[in-house]
Amino acid sequence: MKNWLKNIGPGVLISAAFIGPGTVTVCTLAGVNFGYALLWALLLSVIACIILQEMAARLGIISQKGLSECIRQELKNPLGRTLALILIFSAIVIGNAAYEAGNITGAVLGITAIVEPSSLEIGSFSLNLYSLLVGLVAFTLLAVGSYKILERVFIGLVAFMSISFLITAVLVKPNFGEIMSGLFLPSTGAAGMLTVIAIVGTTVVPYNLFLHASLVGEKWKQPGDLKIARKELFFAIALGGLVSMAIVIVAAASSLSQVETAADLAVGLEPLFGTYATWFIALGLMAAGITSSITAPLAAAYVVKGCLGWKEGMNSLKFKSVWAGILILGVIFSSLQIKPVEIIKFAQVANGLLLPVIAIFLFWIVNKASIMGESRNTTLQNVLGLVIISISILLGARSIYTVWEQL
C-alpha cells in the first residue's frame, strides 16, 4: 500500500482537473435534459482521455520535456514554427482563461449557495468579491510552489467527491437497462450536440495534455517508469469517468427540469445527504473549483515556458507571472454579469472545440522517432489516435453547424 500511494501523482492531478465544477454542471445538465441517453458520449470521452493522456505521459517520461517544448524543437521551418506556437499559445491561454472563469464561477456558485452574494463596485465594473477570494486562495497555493502539497490536496478532494457521487448513484436505484442502452447505443438530436461537445470538453481537457507531459517528467526519470505511470493514469481516469457517469445517473433520477443554481445541482444528492445536500454541493463545488483553478493556470505556464524555451522552473518570476495572469483574467471574466451555469458550459464547449488542434500536435510528436525512439506510437495506438481526432473534429464541426442554425 505504501508503494502504491507513493506512485500516485500526475494521473490523479489530471482526474482532479476534470472533476471540477464543469463536470458537475455539464453532467447534471446532460442527466436532467437527456436522461441516460448521453452516457455514450461520456464513455467515449473517458476512453479518448486515457488514450491521449497516455501519449502525453509517454512523451513526458521518454523525452523529459513538455509538449510545447517538443513542438518548438521539432518544427524546423521558422515560419511554420512561429505560426504553430502562436496557435498553441493563443488556444491554451485564451482557452484556459475561459476555463479558469468557469472554475472560479463554479466555486463562487457553491459559496453563494450558503451565503449572500457580495460585490465591489469599481466605476462601471462590478467585481465579485467571492471570485476575488477564490482567486486569492488559488494564488496562495500556487505561490507555495510545492508539488507534494498540491498532490495531497487533490488526492483527498478527488476521493471525497468520488465516494459521495458513487454512493448516491447506487441509492437512487437507476434503471440498469436504460443505463446500458445509454452507454452503448449512441443517439442524440441536434439539440443535444452542444451538450455532447461540452461532455467531451470537460473530460478530455486540452491543457491537461500539456500539464501531464510536464508533470510526469518531474516525477519519473526513467523509461522503465512508464509502466507505473500507465497504471496510475488508467486508475485515476477510469475513476474520474465513473464519478462523471454517477453524476449523470443521479441527475437523470432527480425531479429537476432546469439547472441554474447550486441548489438545483443539490437536488439529486438528497437521497444521501437529505436536507444537507445543498451544503454538500456548495462545499463540493467550492473545493472542485479551487482545485481546477490551480491546474488551469499551471498548465498555461508550462505551455508558455515550452513555447518560449524558458529553462527556469515553477519558482521563476516569469513562470509565476503567466499563471498569475490567467488567474486575474479568470477572476475578471467570472465577475461579468452572466449566469454562472452559462459561463461554465461555455468553457467546456470551448475546450471541446480546441481539442482536435492540440490532439493533432500531440499525435504528430509521439510519432517522431527523433523524440520517442522505440517508444513512439504503435500501429494500434495510431489507429485509435486517428479515430479520436476524427470524431472530435466531426463533433466540433457539428456543434458549430448547430449554433449557426440557431442564429
Side-chain angles (χ1 to χ4, degrees):
M1 177 62 71
K2 183 178 180 180
N3 289 333
W4 183 79
L5 290 174
K6 181 181 178 182
N7 288 321
I8 288 182
V12 172
L13 288 175
I14 302 308
S15 183
F18 80 70
I19 304 178
T23 297
V24 176
T25 303
V26 169
C27 289
T28 299
L29 287 169
V32 168
N33 296 326
F34 304 98
Y36 306 116
L38 297 186
L39 282 173
W40 67 269
L42 196 47
L43 178 61
L44 176 66
S45 298
V46 171
I47 294 172
C49 186
I50 290 174
I51 292 171
L52 292 178
Q53 293 294 165
E54 187 278 335
M55 291 183 190
R58 181 157 33 97
L59 170 64
I61 292 175
I62 299 301
S63 70
Q64 289 293 295
K65 298 174 184 176
L67 175 55
S68 56
E69 184 179 358
C70 289
I71 293 171
R72 181 176 58 83
Q73 292 180 354
E74 287 301 307
L75 283 170
K76 307 301 182 183
N77 183 282
L79 179 60
R81 179 170 62 243
T82 300
L83 291 175
L85 292 179
I86 288 175
L87 176 62
I88 293 171
F89 185 92
S90 302
I92 292 299
V93 171
I94 295 172
N96 275 24
Y99 199 73
E100 186 69 354
N103 293 331
I104 294 174
T105 298
V108 173
L109 190 65
I111 295 172
T112 53
I114 52 180
V115 298
E116 289 295 321
S118 181
S119 61
L120 175 66
E121 303 299 327
I122 305 176
S124 59
F125 183 75
S126 178
L127 179 64
N128 189 312
L129 289 180
Y130 295 126
S131 294
L132 181 60
L133 176 63
V134 173
L136 288 173
V137 171
F139 182 93
T140 301
L141 288 173
L142 281 168
V144 170
S146 172
Y147 173 73
K148 289 296 181 183
I149 293 176
L150 298 180
E151 183 180 273
R152 289 166 188 158
V153 171
F154 287 141
I155 291 172
L157 291 173
V158 169
F160 180 67
M161 291 284 288
S162 301
I163 293 170
S164 298
F165 277 112
L166 289 170
I167 291 175
T168 307
V170 174
L171 291 179
V172 297
K173 298 179 179 179
N175 186 306
F176 186 73
E178 291 182 8
I179 291 175
M180 290 297 102
S181 177
L183 279 171
F184 300 109
L185 296 176
S187 65
T188 178
M193 190 49 61
L194 286 180
T195 303
V196 169
I197 200 69
I199 288 174
V200 174
T202 195
T203 307
V204 195
V205 185
Y207 75 71
N208 275 345
L209 299 174
F210 291 91
L211 184 62
H212 202 187
S214 297
L215 291 181
V216 292
E218 294 182 6
K219 187 174 181 69
W220 292 299
K221 302 296 183 182
Q222 302 298 325
D225 293 328
L226 184 57
K227 184 177 180 181
I228 299 173
R230 281 172 170 157
K231 288 182 179 179
E232 190 253 353
L233 169 67
F234 180 82
F235 170 80
I237 300 301
L239 176 60
L242 283 175
V243 174
S244 298
M245 290 180 188
I247 297 171
V248 174
I249 291 169
V250 167
S254 71
S255 57
L256 282 173
S257 59
Q258 61 180 3
V259 179
E260 293 184 355
T261 67
D264 295 332
L265 295 172
V267 170
L269 291 173
E270 289 179 356
L272 179 61
F273 295 101
T275 56
Y276 296 101
T278 299
W279 277 86
F280 169 79
I281 202 68
L283 294 174
L285 281 172
M286 183 175 65
I290 290 173
T291 58
S292 296
S293 293
I294 294 169
T295 54
L298 191 61
Y302 274 118
V303 171
V304 174
K305 176 178 178 287
C307 286
L308 300 181
W310 295 344
K311 300 301 180 184
E312 299 87 347
M314 289 180 65
N315 293 320
S316 71
L317 181 60
K318 291 187 291 187
F319 191 93
K320 290 180 177 179
S321 66
V322 175
W323 59 249
I326 296 296
L327 263 176
I328 291 171
L329 287 174
V331 170
I332 293 173
F333 293 158
S334 176
S335 295
L336 299 177
Q337 300 301 312
I338 303 174
K339 289 182 179 179
V341 170
E342 293 302 317
I343 292 178
I344 294 169
K345 186 175 180 181
F346 169 78
Q348 313 313 316
V349 173
N351 264 349
L353 296 176
L354 287 173
L355 177 63
V357 176
I358 306 304
I360 288 170
F361 278 112
L362 173 65
F363 184 76
W364 172 63
I365 287 294
V366 292
N367 275 289
K368 298 284 290 184
S370 57
I371 291 180
M372 303 299 294
E374 295 181 356
S375 296
R376 64 185 182 275
N377 270 9
T378 63
T379 301
L380 176 59
Q381 288 169 327
N382 276 333
V383 170
L384 293 174
L386 287 172
V387 169
I388 291 168
I389 291 171
S390 300
I391 291 174
S392 63
I393 291 173
L394 289 173
L395 287 175
R398 179 67 185 279
S399 66
I400 292 172
Y401 178 72
T402 300
V403 171
W404 182 262
E405 278 191 324
Q406 294 173 354
L407 294 177

